[in-house]
Amino acid sequence: MTITSTPNNDVRYTWAVALYQQMRENFWIPQRLDITQDVTDYGNLTDDERYAYDGILSYLTFLDSVQTCNIPHLKTSITAPEISLCMAEQISQEGMHNQSYQYLIETIIPPERRTQVYEFWRTDKLLRDRCEFIAKLYQKYIDDATTENYFIALMADFLLEGLYFYNGFIYFYNLASRMLMPGSADIFKMINRDELSHVRLYQKLIPEARKVFPHSVEQIYEMFDMAVNYECRWTNHIVGNNILGITESSTEKYTKYLANIRLRSIGLEPLYPEPKYSKSPYTHLERFSDTKKAAHTKANFFEATVTSYVMSSGLTGWDEI
Ligand SMILES: [Fe+2]
Ligand SMILES: [Fe+2]
């Protein structure tokens, strides 16, 4: 019982009330997004593009599965009802994200390749090692529920939500920018928006947790550095220099840039202070992740469906990440 709130209406964490409302307003249903164009496009991708498409889907499926299993463990130590609600909503969203991957796989990927995609995280050694590394940080807390291990699990969660998805998202936005797989990009921008709400949750929780849980700043930097290395190694393995618009160098820049902004968001200095890591190499793709500015997404005729999910929230107190 660590993060608590008074049981009456005197809510301690007002940011969590606003965040929960925002998460609920982000509601969407994957199957309502039309991905039929992607079935044709998939057949016209290069072998490298198809390999990366399948591999990234498999990896993201793993990430959301691990979240669905582990957030309930983290949630048991939270007694503030407003934060608990955010986590309950997060668990529901992670489960729905898995459904959306299944929808993509079952609709777009031919039957003879599907098992390979579902099993890729087990059959590809580099991916399996990575998945084991991610799961182990959570497992540590499940096996030995110390306060220190709880903090590590919280950090592991923040890294997963804040760092591990984004080279994957960029891959789909990159394809969409070349008029390929527009339905997949539509789905990923909705997932992207949900993941950013999860990032907001943990970037608020971690500074609170830092006040009460044993840890060291060095330990946080070490976890970040390791996460960046794993992320770059995996992205170079599955995307590398083989996809138009992405290189090993842009992957490194983007991953370190993300790590820096995530560190800043929890009140720490950037780990990679060189100027080249202070800006995203993919700003030209950001419009594809933007679910709110309709003017930016006219190129995609599916967008009308997507924007219909966006409701004006009028929420205050949230800075854009
Ligand atoms: Fe998710
Ligand atoms: Fe998430």
Side-chain angles (χ1 to χ4, degrees):
M1 300 297 165
T2 46
I3 296 176
T4 57
S5 177
T6 47
N8 56 32
N9 288 337
D10 184 15
V11 172
R12 184 167 170 194
Y13 301 103
T14 47
W15 58 263
V17 177
L19 178 59
Y20 177 66
Q21 194 184 332
Q22 184 182 54
M23 290 170 88
R24 295 286 297 147
E25 288 185 0
N26 283 350
F27 176 79
W28 62 287
I29 295 170
Q31 291 80 359
R32 292 220 182 134
L33 297 174
D34 188 340
I35 55 173
T36 46
Q37 177 63 41
D38 297 39
V39 180
T40 314
D41 285 355
Y42 184 81
N44 293 325
L45 295 179
T46 65
D47 287 346
D48 287 334
E49 285 167 347
R50 241 188 325 265
Y51 176 72
Y53 186 93
D54 293 358
I56 292 170
L57 260 186
S58 181
Y59 170 57
L60 296 182
T61 302
F62 169 82
L63 288 185
D64 272 292
S65 304
V66 91
Q67 289 301 78
T68 312
C69 294
N70 285 298
I71 303 301
H73 293 293
L74 294 180
K75 186 175 171 287
T76 53
S77 294
I78 303 281
T79 57
E82 60 275 19
I83 295 178
S84 204
L85 262 181
C86 288
M87 289 176 111
E89 186 61 25
Q90 183 195 358
I91 294 163
S92 149
Q93 290 184 351
E94 308 297 19
M96 185 267 284
H97 295 166
N98 263 324
Q99 259 203 335
S100 64
Y101 302 138
Q102 197 183 357
Y103 172 52
L104 288 170
I105 292 168
E106 305 285 324
T107 310
I108 295 169
I109 298 178
E112 66 277 10
R113 281 176 81 106
R114 283 179 204 154
T115 313
Q116 208 178 308
V117 175
Y118 285 123
E119 295 294 316
F120 192 68
W121 73 270
R122 288 192 184 91
T123 55
D124 182 273
K125 188 180 174 330
L126 196 139
L127 184 55
R128 198 185 59 227
D129 288 350
R130 171 139 207 235
C131 292
E132 279 171 4
F133 165 75
I134 294 168
K136 222 187 292 168
L137 291 174
Y138 284 128
Q139 195 60 39
K140 218 171 159 181
Y141 174 67
I142 294 166
D143 294 342
D144 183 14
T146 63
T147 47
E148 195 170 359
N149 286 345
Y150 188 80
F151 187 79
I152 289 171
L154 268 187
M155 282 305 303
D157 183 85
F158 185 53
L159 288 166
L160 193 156
E161 304 282 356
L163 208 66
Y164 293 164
F165 281 100
Y166 300 84
N167 281 293
F169 291 153
I170 285 295
Y171 176 73
F172 297 107
Y173 302 148
N174 171 290
L175 289 184
S177 76
R178 295 190 278 123
M179 307 300 281
L180 291 166
M181 315 298 284
S184 302
D186 278 349
I187 289 200
F188 280 104
K189 64 186 167 187
M190 302 311 276
I191 296 175
N192 193 160
R193 186 174 65 172
D194 290 342
E195 296 311 340
L196 286 176
S197 71
H198 308 166
V199 171
R200 287 174 183 142
L201 173 60
Y202 291 91
Q203 79 188 21
K204 283 286 192 183
L205 285 181
I206 285 169
E208 293 286 334
R210 287 191 63 206
K211 294 177 197 162
V212 288
F213 292 108
H215 70 285
S216 69
V217 174
E218 290 69 37
Q219 185 184 16
I220 296 177
Y221 281 128
E222 233 170 73
M223 286 184 79
F224 261 86
D225 199 38
M226 205 178 279
V228 164
N229 289 337
Y230 266 108
E231 178 64 17
C232 289
R233 206 180 308 150
W234 156 248
T235 308
N236 292 343
H237 172 65
I238 201 72
V239 176
N241 292 315
N242 305 326
I243 306 296
L244 190 66
I246 300 176
T247 63
E248 294 194 358
S249 162
S250 64
T251 294
E252 187 207 356
K253 278 186 197 147
Y254 184 57
T255 311
K256 291 185 173 172
Y257 153 79
L258 273 182
N260 283 344
I261 60 170
R262 298 299 181 234
L263 279 163
R264 242 189 243 115
S265 77
I266 55 168
L268 293 173
E269 289 299 314
L271 182 57
Y272 310 100
E274 299 95 309
K276 63 178 172 181
Y277 302 129
S278 65
K279 147 170 177 299
S280 167
Y282 298 127
T283 45
H284 59 292
L285 296 177
E286 274 164 14
R287 68 196 179 97
F288 288 92
S289 67
D290 192 336
T291 50
K292 292 194 175 170
K293 290 174 190 154
H296 283 173
T297 45
K298 272 184 184 152
N300 183 353
F301 67 90
F302 298 132
E303 184 57 24
T305 321
V306 179
T307 47
S308 69
Y309 286 120
V310 180
M311 295 177 262
S312 71
S313 65
L315 295 177
T316 53
W318 286 100
D319 297 323
E320 281 302 314
I321 291 175

